[in-house]
Amino acid sequence: MLVVTELQTEPIRVSSYRCDAGPDAPPFAEMHEGHSVSYVRKGSFGCRTRGHAYELVAGSVLVGAPGDEYVCTHDHHLCGDECLAFHLSPGFVELIGGGRGTWQAGGLPPLPGLMVLGELAQAAVEGRSDLGVDEVGMCFAHRFVDLVEGREAPRPGAAPARDRRRAVDAAMWIAEGSHEDIGLERAAAEAGLSAFHFLRLFSQVLGVTPHQYLVRSRLRHAARLLADGDRPVTEIALDVGFADLSNFVRTFRRAAGVSPGDFRRAARGDRKILQDRLAALLDDERLIHSSTRKPSSCTTPSN
């Protein structure tokens, strides 16, 4: 079993598990040390706990409660499975709730509401999203409790004026220090809130998560520096807060549609780059025949 800790914060620890056990592997008992929800990303395996047996395939969820024993089996499963596990602190579990039955659910079948968040969390782990791994992990755990307990996801309402000011102040603080390593816990402490409450408040008021705003603040500063000066791209990437050049280039290209170098050339009058982008858009059939596009199932009149 290969275990990689992707992120460690006070409310949540996120770990990747890769198991190569096959049908010939002897089963053995293990124990959950705390509350956890593990999203099965690839492969399949079986799990026996509390007198029940679960067959877990890609999209399923393995649920852990402190002190519960479980046995993973691979009798009729092909070799190899991968999970993304969210290990939760007692304080965070108390915050999101859930009765004993919820945390002793053992295993859940693939549920759309968790599958999309599980894949989103993996994208955050791999750097393919500007969401924070801890942000998505906490949303995954909270959504798990909602689904198992049959709770309706709360509709976002208008935040009180005091909370809106608190979110705006936090955003200004993040923008000011975006070149620093600002995690969710640090930003929440600055706002005087728990990490989960801060995440919910910030997202509700501003429409983006704190980590998304942090990354976008870095991109905004980088764009200014690229347009205004001749400093090397690597130097700009590190100065605005990115840990390495490849991460900066990947994130910038995803946001702007062009590399940092092309952006700099376009900012200095190289119209060909912008013309190429425009031509690509005009060649997009979805744009040309926009009237024939079917509305997204996620689109609401308010959107």
Side-chain angles (χ1 to χ4, degrees):
M1 175 79 78
L2 176 63
V3 183
V4 176
T5 300
E6 307 289 357
L7 179 77
Q8 171 79 64
T9 65
E10 191 282 328
I12 189 170
R13 173 168 56 87
V14 182
S15 300
S16 295
Y17 291 80
R18 177 176 296 175
C19 177
D20 296 326
D24 296 332
F28 58 92
E30 300 175 77
M31 180 179 292
H32 292 292
E33 296 180 354
H35 293 91
S36 65
V37 280
S38 301
Y39 174 68
V40 182
R41 295 187 49 244
K42 292 182 180 178
S44 63
F45 60 99
C47 179
R48 297 197 301 265
T49 183
R50 290 186 164 270
H52 298 281
Y54 305 90
E55 305 300 336
L56 303 174
V57 297
S60 301
V61 175
L62 174 65
V63 185
D68 274 3
E69 285 193 354
Y70 66 101
V71 176
C72 289
T73 62
H74 305 82
D75 301 341
H76 44 272
H77 295 272
L78 296 176
C79 186
D81 55 81
E82 296 181 19
C83 294
L84 188 63
F86 307 104
H87 302 276
L88 313 171
S89 71
F92 180 64
V93 172
E94 182 179 356
L95 188 65
I96 61 176
R100 177 178 298 180
T102 295
W103 291 105
Q104 293 179 341
L108 295 183
L111 299 175
L114 293 179
M115 292 173 69
V116 294
L117 289 176
E119 294 302 321
L120 189 59
Q122 183 61 33
V125 167
E126 296 175 359
R128 294 184 284 108
S129 167
D130 58 3
L131 289 165
V133 177
D134 49 352
E135 294 175 345
V136 188
M138 287 192 280
C139 289
F140 186 97
H142 189 221
R143 188 65 177 142
F144 154 75
V145 174
D146 283 347
L147 290 173
V148 174
E149 303 218 328
R151 300 189 314 209
E152 288 290 333
R155 293 178 178 274
R162 185 188 64 175
D163 286 345
R164 299 178 72 84
R165 178 57 187 267
R166 181 178 279 176
V168 171
D169 287 347
M172 294 175 66
W173 180 80
I174 290 173
E176 182 70 22
S178 61
H179 57 286
E180 300 177 6
D181 183 16
I182 299 177
L184 180 62
E185 285 184 291
R186 183 181 168 192
E190 179 69 20
L193 296 170
S194 72
F196 186 58
H197 277 145
F198 176 67
L199 171 61
R200 294 181 65 179
L201 173 64
F202 194 97
S203 303
Q204 178 188 5
V205 173
L206 299 178
V208 293
T209 70
H211 189 72
Q212 284 179 313
Y213 188 71
L214 173 67
V215 172
R216 292 172 193 188
S217 295
R218 289 171 176 171
L219 289 175
R220 181 165 57 87
H221 293 152
R224 287 181 181 174
L225 294 173
L226 287 167
D228 293 344
D230 295 316
R231 296 174 61 190
V233 173
T234 300
E235 188 176 304
I236 291 175
L238 298 178
D239 279 359
V240 300
F242 287 89
D244 57 71
L245 178 62
S246 61
N247 184 24
F248 169 64
V249 171
R250 183 174 59 247
T251 305
F252 193 95
R253 183 187 292 277
R254 188 169 62 231
V258 295
S259 69
D262 282 347
F263 177 85
R264 168 172 276 169
R265 286 189 285 275
R268 296 178 180 179
D270 188 344
R271 292 183 172 82
K272 183 177 184 308
I273 295 172
L274 299 180
Q275 289 166 351
D276 289 344
R277 290 283 301 159
L278 184 59
L281 285 172
L282 293 175
D283 286 340
D284 190 328
E285 291 186 356
R286 294 171 302 175
L287 179 65
I288 296 173
H289 305 292
S290 58
S291 60
T292 63
R293 291 174 60 184
K294 294 181 179 179
S296 165
S297 58
C298 298
T299 302
T300 64
S302 61
N303 289 335

